[in-house]
Amino acid sequence: MDDELMYRLIRYADLTAWPAFAAFGVQEDAIDRLLAGTAGLNPADVSGVRDGLAGRVSAAAAALLTERPVAAGLHRMALRPGERIVVVGDSISADRLSWARLLAELVPRVQRDASVEVLALSGRTSSEALALGPVLVSRMPTRVLVMLGSNDVRREGATTGVRMVSAQETGRNLRALRLLLETEAGARVRFLVPPPVDPARVGSTRDLTGEWWDAADFPELNSVVRDVDPDAIDLSTVPVRPEFWEDDGLHPSPVGQVVLLRAVLSAM
């Protein structure tokens, strides 16, 4: 495996949010060994890449904290001692350089006794997120930020293009997740509308892997999320430039993730 492929694998393959691992609190060093054994890598190399990504997030957070709008957004969050924020999502949030990782780095710098746990997993649909329900409740979160749906509209099969989850089911799942978290954990739940995709690139994997996205599916998805939560933070409208995305036109680049973090904090 070349260095670039290893980097991308570790950047997006955070397995701490896999329900079984999250339930038993499997630590990252054990997951590093598992990932290394599965992919034929050196565990020390895996840990090294992960630590390097964490260092980039820490440096970026320090720079962001000097921005007046970012500091103001964190102030508006009115963080209290013991505040426990959980982020539920897919690869856009699981990305080790994501907006959620940045938030997890920033929050304790503003309120030492507050924390953010990122329970996001690459490929996760809203249906699969429900399986995380007992784990989420066990964390006793005070707030939960939920960004799901991009994998609900994922298409499987170069010819058939079967959609993973229907719009109706997405709405049902998000409502069920909110009911569970508000009732069982007493948490405040807020949804995030997924960010925009690049229509010219987002379907490029159709013939290559048979797994792809159709940009035409996203307006309906965005409408579903807004219907579930009229106060949802709408990231679908953030201003974008070509450098906002990675090559696939779906995942935000590190630059794009900072754009998302700023947008999230501006809506707090």
Side-chain angles (χ1 to χ4, degrees):
M1 182 180 293
D2 62 40
D3 290 346
E4 177 61 23
L5 183 58
M6 179 177 70
Y7 168 84
R8 289 185 63 83
L9 174 65
I10 297 166
R11 178 177 163 186
Y12 291 103
D14 180 5
L15 301 181
T16 55
W18 188 50
F21 286 176
F24 290 101
V26 178
Q27 299 300 303
E28 284 196 314
D29 58 347
I31 292 174
D32 286 347
R33 292 193 296 272
L34 174 64
L35 188 60
T38 302
L41 302 171
N42 185 321
D45 291 340
V46 174
S47 298
V49 172
R50 175 169 56 77
D51 291 345
L53 292 168
R56 289 179 61 181
V57 168
S58 180
L64 284 164
L65 200 54
T66 66
E67 297 182 9
R68 188 170 297 175
V70 169
L74 290 165
H75 178 73
R76 282 194 301 273
M77 290 182 71
L79 296 163
R80 298 179 179 180
E83 188 93 49
R84 292 180 299 278
I85 302 169
V86 172
V87 176
V88 182
D90 50 33
S91 56
I92 295 173
S93 303
D95 181 354
R96 292 185 184 275
L97 298 176
S98 74
W99 70 274
R101 308 288 180 180
L102 290 166
L103 185 66
E105 186 72 26
L106 286 166
V107 161
R109 298 188 185 209
V110 176
Q111 172 52 257
R112 183 185 305 175
D113 296 323
S115 64
V116 176
E117 183 176 10
V118 182
L119 285 176
L121 186 68
S122 293
R124 175 172 280 159
T125 66
S126 63
S127 300
E128 293 164 341
L130 288 175
L132 194 65
V135 173
L136 294 172
V137 171
S138 73
R139 296 302 202 265
M140 297 184 292
T142 54
R143 310 188 204 190
V144 182
L145 299 175
V146 181
M147 187 201 296
L148 291 166
S150 294
N151 284 293
D152 287 27
V153 299
R154 191 174 77 230
R155 300 265 176 185
E156 300 291 344
T159 302
T160 52
V162 175
R163 179 166 159 161
M164 288 292 292
V165 182
S166 70
Q168 294 78 10
E169 189 66 5
T170 296
R172 188 206 77 86
N173 291 337
L174 296 182
R175 289 185 177 90
L177 187 61
R178 180 176 59 191
L179 177 64
L180 187 152
L181 291 168
E182 290 179 345
T183 304
E184 303 289 339
R188 287 180 286 167
V189 180
R190 194 163 186 191
F191 290 90
L192 288 74
V193 179
V197 298
D198 182 353
R201 289 185 285 175
V202 77
S204 61
T205 57
R206 181 171 187 166
D207 294 326
L208 181 64
T209 66
E211 181 178 275
W212 53 286
W213 285 259
D214 184 342
D217 290 327
F218 281 85
E220 181 184 42
L221 167 65
N222 299 343
S223 179
V224 168
V225 179
R226 294 188 204 104
D227 184 57
V228 170
D229 182 3
D231 293 323
I233 299 173
D234 194 346
L235 299 179
S236 70
T237 60
V238 296
V240 295
R241 297 179 178 179
E243 63 268 26
F244 177 86
W245 296 285
E246 295 290 353
D247 291 342
D248 60 7
L250 175 74
H251 293 94
S253 67
V255 170
Q257 293 286 5
V258 171
V259 171
L260 296 186
L261 184 278
R262 291 186 179 121
V264 168
L265 288 177
S266 70
M268 288 294 186

